[in-house]
Amino acid sequence: MKKLKVGVIGCGKISGAYLNKARHFDCYEITACADLELDRAVAKAEEFSLAKACTVEELLADPEIDIVINLTIPQAHTDICLKALNAGKHVYVEKPLAITKEEGKQIVELAAAKGLRAGCAPDTFLGGGIQTSIKLIEDGWIGTPIGATAFMIGRGHEHWHPAPDFYYKVGGGPMFDMGPYYLTALVAMIGPIRKVAGMTSTAYPERKILSQPLYGQMIQVDVPTHVAGLLEFHSGAIGTIITSFDAFGGTSLPRIEVYGSQGTLIVPDPNTFGGSVQIRRVDKKEFVEVPHTHGFTEAGRGLGVADMAQAILSGRPHRASAELAYHVLEAMEGFHIASDGGRHYEMTSSCQRPTPLPLGLSNVSLDA
Ligand SMILES: NC(=O)c1ccc[n+]([C@@H]2O[C@H](COP(=O)([O-])OP(=O)(O)OC[C@H]3O[C@@H](n4cnc5c(N)ncnc54)[C@H](O)[C@@H]3O)[C@@H](O)[C@H]2O)c1
């Protein structure tokens, strides 16, 4: 089968998860990488046996490259996506799509104008955990979804990330960083969002880096670090979400629960591909674990790229699309706008619920 050639731009912390050849798919291969800091690209190319390490400009000018995976920091996402599209490449970017909805819209519109694909993480909703949850909802096991809750409670990334500054600048914060996993899963399960409300706060105006190599340096916090949001879906279901970098995690709160007229679904951590799916039906007193209906429970990053590559080869829509990511980005910004203005925020965008994966796929192939 034809394999599309892929180049990675941004060789930092997350890049290894994409470059890991143990997780390969039959429709694409990563052949080149680039970074602002060329030595980082050279080191990754050596570690993962890539044919080429080069500058961003050289990678974008390479006629062999079909798809660019953009793994730069959020503040550079739009610039690199637009450059890749203008160079005639399809692009797949890490979350969030962009740091503002205006920038995100530019990516969606340029891709459409050029007839190229733009895709965006997260792709965890294509994993067996969320796909099993989607199947249960679609098959009516909880009846009509009435509401959902989602919680991401943590103390921030400065205790492990080597360069955590960007998580506290515009485009960072717990909602822009972790919200995409939760909101994408909710939209994939329940459908698009009509309006949101929110309240935000910032507990610590400065934060100390606790990881190496920048241990002890202070970060100026420019964004809210505790964000509580309400969502009304087009279906009428109501969602509640809290994302925090200010609180200690390990609480008894679930990651995601979906409440329906006939039962409740416990959905696994949307920052993983697998996890335990549990259901309690109207006539039962206990939750029971449901075996996964779908594979890719250990898929790791790259599943969304594989789906987009296969979609390019087959001509079908891809699932982790920039349109979906743009809708999620607008909701994330909407929580902050609603908080600042003391009002609801009416969504201007909508999106299709991504088509669920079919049953019975192998662990290296997506559907044609
Ligand atoms: N670290 C994680 O665990 C993780 C997990 C999921 C998603 N992400 C997302 O992945 C992206 C990258 O995160 P990371 O943790 O790898 O960050 P990082 O800071 O470790 O790496 C970013 C890399 O991009 C390079 N870069 C920055 N601007 C560039 C530009 N204009 N052109 C070329 N290269 C540029 C930097 O030199 C650096 O090597 C972010 O969007 C983040 O939200 C990270």
Side-chain angles (χ1 to χ4, degrees), residues 9-10 34-36 38 54-61 72 80 83:
I9 299 182
D35 197 288
L36 264 186
L38 187 57
C54 56
T55 65
V56 172
E57 291 68 32
E58 283 164 350
L59 191 141
L60 292 176
T72 61
I80 295 295
K83 281 183 174 150

Side-chain angles (χ1 to χ4, degrees), residues 9-18 34-38 40-41 56-57 70-77 79-80 83 93-96 121 157 160-164 166-167 171 176-178 181 271 301:
I9 299 182
C11 295
K13 185 81 181 159
I14 196 64
S15 61
Y18 283 85
D35 197 288
L36 264 186
E37 318 259 349
L38 187 57
R40 289 191 188 177
V56 172
E57 291 68 32
N70 177 358
L71 304 181
T72 61
I73 57 172
Q75 293 75 14
H77 282 183
D79 181 47
I80 295 295
K83 281 183 174 150
V93 59
E94 251 302 337
K95 51 78 196 163
H157 297 330
W160 65 272
H161 195 281
F166 73 83
Y167 288 114
F176 277 75
D177 178 47
M178 297 302 285
Y181 297 108
N271 191 12
R301 302 300 194 277

Side-chain angles (χ1 to χ4, degrees), residues 4 21 26 62 68 80 139 149 188 204 212 220 330 333:
L4 296 183
K21 287 195 175 161
D26 59 6
D62 184 342
V68 166
I80 295 295
D139 289 355
T149 48
Y204 312 101
Q212 294 297 345
Q220 182 77 36
E330 189 187 9
E333 204 172 290

